[in-house]
Structure formats: C-alpha cells, structure tokens
Amino acid sequence: MNLHEFQSKRILMEKGVNVPRGTVVYDALEALVAARNLKTDKIVLKAQAHSGGRGKAGGISVLSIDDDVKKVAERILQMTLVTNQTGPQGKPVSALLVEEAPRIDAELYLGVVLDRNHGEVTIMASPAGGMDIETIAREAPEKIFTVKVNPLRGLCPFQARALAYKLTDKNILANQIANAAKALYDIFVGYDCTLAEINPLVVSGETLLALDAKINLDDHALFRRPQMAALRDRSQEDPVELSARLAGLSYIRLEGDIGCMVNGAGLAMATLDLISIHGGSPANFLDVGGGASEQVVADAMNILLDDKRVKVVFINIFGGILRCDVLARGVIKAIKERGLELPVVARIEGTNIDLGRKLFADSGLPIQMMSSLDEAAQLVVAKAKELSGN
Amino acid sequence: MAILVNRESRIICQGITGRNGTFHSLACRDYGSNLVGGVTPGKKGAFVDGIPVFNTVEEAVQETGANVSLIFIPAAHAKDPILEAVDAGIEVIVCITEGIPPLDTASALFTVKEKGRVLVGPNTPGIISPAEKCKVGIMPGYIHSPGPVGVISRSGTLTYEVVDQLTKAGMGQSTCLGLGGDPVVGLSFVDCLRLFRDDPNTEAVVLIGEIGGSAEEQAADFIKAEFQKPVIAYVAGRLAPPGKRMGHAGAIISGGSGTAQGKIKALKDVGVEVVENLTKVGQVVREVLK
C-alpha cells in the first residue's frame, strides 16, 4: 500500500524531520487561499497521486504568488496523471499540496529498504539527490553510501553519523542528516514499510528539508498497523484489483483480450508467458490461490466474465491443495448463474482430476477441456484471434 | 542420497493440531516421511492419528530426537516458532506459512544464519526427496518419482507442473524444493546449487525462477564459477508490468530490476539451457541428460 506525499511528510514531521511549509487542499479556491497564507513569493503546487514522474507529466507547477494560482490549481486537480509508472489509464489526482518553494543549495538522497538478498534493513544515502536511486546506481554508483542494520541492535547513532559525514563536512548539516536517517529507519521498521525515502532532501541554508517523500507499506503487515491502513486511498487503485483482493484473489490488469484463471502465482505468470509465446495477449493475471473455495473460484470467474475486453477465458489449474472438483463446482456455479457468452477453454490437472472432469462433462456447459497445456494455450490464442477478426 | 532431507530425517510439525498442520502431517507420513511428533502449546499428551503432541519444540526434540521441523503457524505469529525451532536445535526448518511480515522473517533469519541452521521458505511448498520417501511440505507426492534431477524453484504449482512433466518424461528427481515466494527467504538458489553440486545422485538441476530480486543472477554467477552439472532453467513473468506484485510478495519488478528478461540473459550467458516454453521443460531435460 502506498501513501501520498502529503501523508508521508506528515509522518516525517511527527518524527522531527523538517518539511516545507504547506497545506493539502481539494479545490482551486482553497489552493489560492492556502498559497496566500504562506506569505511567500514562490510557491509550488503538487498533484497528489501514487506515481513518480509527476513533474514530467505536468502535475507539479512552480508559481509566483502573482500568477493565476487558482487556474493552475484547477487544471492540476482535474488531471489524470499518465506517467511512465501508471500505465495508459493513468491515476486521478486525489488532492493538491500547496507549499512554499524553498531556496535549494544542494539536493541529497536518503532512503531505507529491506535488502532481499541478505534480509537486512539497509539505509542508502547519496549527495546526488533529485534523480531516482536507480539512475544514481546506474550513472554514479560510487555516490551511493549504505549502512546495513543488524536487526538485534537497530540503527546505532555512530552508523547514522558515519553515513552523514559521507555527505557533508559541516557539523550542523551532518547532525540533521543523521537525525533524518534515524527517523526514516524508525518509520521503516515501526510501520513495516517496503520503502521509506526522502528524495530530494534539500539543503536550504543551514536547514535540511524533505522536499519530496515516499512511504510504501507492506500489505502483509497492515494487520498490525491499523492507523496506517486507514490512510489507504482507494481512488488510486484499480477497482477490479481492489475487489479481487477483497475476495481473496490476486488480480493484475493487463492489456490483452484473453481472461486467465490460474492457481499459484508462478504458474499464473507462466501461463501468461505461454499465451504470449503463441502470439496471444492476456487481459489479466489472476491467481485463485491454493486454498480457494467454490465461492472464491466463482468470484474469480465473474471477474473475468465482467471484463468487457475479454474474448476468451482460459482456465489453467494444477490442483494441489485446490482440488479440481472444487474448481469445477465454482466455475459451473458462476456460469449457471449468469449464462455464458464467451468460449471457455480449460486445462485441469492434479488432485481429484477425474471428479473435476466428470462435473464439467455432466454440467452440459460448452467448456472445452484440453489435456495438453501447450495445445490449450494455442487453442485459446486462435479463438481470441478469430473473435477479434484478425 | 538427496539433499537436506532423507529417510533418516526425524520430522516434527509445529502447529500439528491445526487443520492444515494435521492434514499435511498425515499426508507426509503417508508418503513415507518419518513424522515423529508435533508441537502445539497446551496440547501435550494429545495424539494426531498416533503422532505424539508436545507443548514445546525443546520437549519434542528431547523425546523424539527430531532434527527437521515443518511449520504451519499463522503469519502474524510465525516468527516465534522459527526462533523456537532454532533454539531447540532443529537443523532444517521448513516454513510453509504465507504472508509473514518481511521484517519478521528478516529478524528470524538473522538468528537462523548466526546459528548455522537452514530455513526453507517461508511461503514454500516445502522439500521432497522421492528415493528417500521423505516429503516435508504440501506438494502432491504422487507426481514425483526417484531419479537424478534436482529441482529448485521459487514457486509452488509451477514446480508441480515441471515435476509432472519430468516424471512423465521418465526423468525422476533426487530432491525438489521450493525456496518460497516471499521477498526475504532463507535458503537461496546458490545454497541449493552448492548442495546439489556435492550430491553424487544429482546429475542435472532444473532451476525455476521468477521476476523480482536477483537470486537468479546470483545463481548464474555461482554456476559460472563452480557448478559443472547441466542446469536447465525456466523464468516466469516476462509479461509482468513493473511495480506490481504478481501473486507472490517477492515477485515484483522494482526500479527496472528483477525482470524476467534480465534473469534469462544472465543464465543464458553462463551456458544455462533456458527453456522459454514451460511445457517443453521435461523434454529439454531428457535431451540434455541423454
């Protein structure tokens, strides 16, 4: 789950990190009032949406107080931001952050992640802030300094200081950098983050300011962070992905026309790959999970059949914990309740396969059963092409 | 021979009286595994179809000489039983639980490594050595057969698919194991390759990777440096959009790294036979081993 910039900055402020003065607003007149209240010449309007690259997409605007703040605010608030991270459908702008635009003497980077390879929380810092960390890593890896944290000791003050002195010789700044690193580490561990990042962390005279911040939370730990879960902005998430998650399914929207239902994440990804090898294009990734019930399978089927883009449905199940008879009952239940306008191709294998096959056969539904996965994938692709007239 | 678990393994199940714990403990025993006990605090003296239940892992180890543990404890509480197993001297800990907060896993893993133990998973289907009739996990036993192929994977059902192909192609397996679909897991591809390298009964290895992290790239480096046996690989997720978790918490392309294309290239560059069509893995392994 991702937080907005303004939410992330609030959390940083609570931990003692300075952020530019500002207000979050939801309409253009409010933006104008907020801008005037800052009593400063230069202000910045920032679209609040879950994506990087907001500036390039036109979602960030630096203005003078004499400019037409209301008009610019109105334009940004109405935008659907399409960036290199959002996909073609883009993200709506949920709110507008009105801030003073501070003087910038230098831009630093500070971030905390969990290093997957070693299972260690790692703090990264760089004097080359302003660009994303992947770009720094590619173009100037020698400018990234890291500290790995022993989970039993936590981040020691000396580690934070050592990191700070890699970025500056000035004591007054080093102290603030060390404090910001400690704050960011505490946030990362205290709220179970997948990422806590300040970029850029700007030097403005003798003060450090978090000019932009990103805090992403781990979905698997939200159960113990209810105060964070409450910050979820559903407007930033794909509605189908959301409802699938509530049904206990893992669903990701793709751009094609073949609806896929698979059990297991790896097999689901591999099924998409197979469709693509044969020249087809999947409409989605959908993992019904190992312990799916009849109802969950029916919900999954309904999600596929509700999708107007889907021309053919492909069911690929290797029953382990999920039994083939449960799968068959769920699929049949969904189709019997709503009727079937689309061709369905199913390849099922594994636990209780004979019973599953029999249920499909007895249902009288026009579901094409295939025993070879490769041939099933080819058939699905051929049907999709035929139906789209190519 | 096999790696990590064999007919000598003495296995306990932590969480044996839960629905999944009971079901899979009995399925493992039916397969031939030596299930010597189970642990559920407060249930000492009970039996699960003849398997004795203890209050603590320490007690279970004392009474049964257990050295392998299979964990079925809900995600919110799963860190503690891993540490309990370590402290009680369990050598191989197989954690099936999905959805453990990664910081919990990371913290438990720190102690696991410090004490020199092995953690398989979490979010793994487990480990199975067919010739040893030893299954410690939730995989369907009947698709496996004894033979010379080692299988290492980051996924469950995808492994079943490949193992099924191998068995049908007449290629049995020495040991198959799932590393787990989480971002932070215990055993890595490199750890397993090292074990398979030293296992005389493993003649080739099938490596099943997926997007996210850099475990496949590290495997490629290791293969280049010190692995002589043939490796056949499949990497899932070429169509995965960046920034989305594809079912597994660990299957995510972040900041342009962890793509299937990058992993496929790294493996191909060191001479690994990378199969692009999943349904051809069994066939390719048979050709390689001819």
Side-chain angles (χ1 to χ4, degrees), chain B residues 187-220:
Chain B
L187 217 59
S188 69
F189 278 130
V190 170
D191 297 328
C192 296
L193 286 169
R194 195 173 283 127
L195 293 167
F196 277 131
R197 178 192 63 190
D198 301 336
D199 174 31
N201 291 59
T202 300
E203 291 169 28
V205 169
V206 176
L207 186 153
I208 304 165
E210 66 184 28
I211 58 161
S214 58
E216 293 79 4
E217 287 84 344
Q218 287 164 0

Side-chain angles (χ1 to χ4, degrees), chain A residues 352-363:
Chain A
N352 287 5
I353 172 67
D354 294 335
L355 189 51
R357 285 217 180 94
K358 184 171 178 327
L359 284 166
F360 276 126
D362 293 351
S363 73

Side-chain angles (χ1 to χ4, degrees), chain B residues 208-255:
Chain B
I208 304 165
E210 66 184 28
I211 58 161
S214 58
E216 293 79 4
E217 287 84 344
Q218 287 164 0
D221 289 344
F222 179 82
I223 289 166
K224 188 179 180 192
E226 45 186 309
F227 196 82
Q228 312 298 330
K229 299 175 184 180
V231 179
I232 298 91
Y234 175 80
V235 181
R238 287 188 301 168
L239 294 193
K244 294 280 188 182
R245 289 185 191 275
M246 305 297 279
H248 286 151
I252 181 167
I253 297 169
S254 39

Side-chain angles (χ1 to χ4, degrees), chain A residues 249 261 286 288 293-306 313 315 325-342 344 360 363 365-367:
Chain A
L249 300 160
M261 169 156 66
L286 197 169
V288 293
S293 64
E294 188 180 318
Q295 186 57 51
V296 169
V297 172
D299 290 343
M301 196 66 196
N302 279 316
I303 285 174
L304 299 184
L305 295 175
D306 281 342
V313 171
I315 301 173
D325 56 316
V326 173
L327 178 274
R329 285 200 182 89
V331 170
I332 293 165
K333 176 182 155 84
I335 296 176
K336 288 238 159 118
E337 276 169 15
R338 62 183 293 154
L340 183 63
E341 300 100 44
L342 302 176
V344 177
F360 276 126
S363 73
L365 294 173
I367 295 174

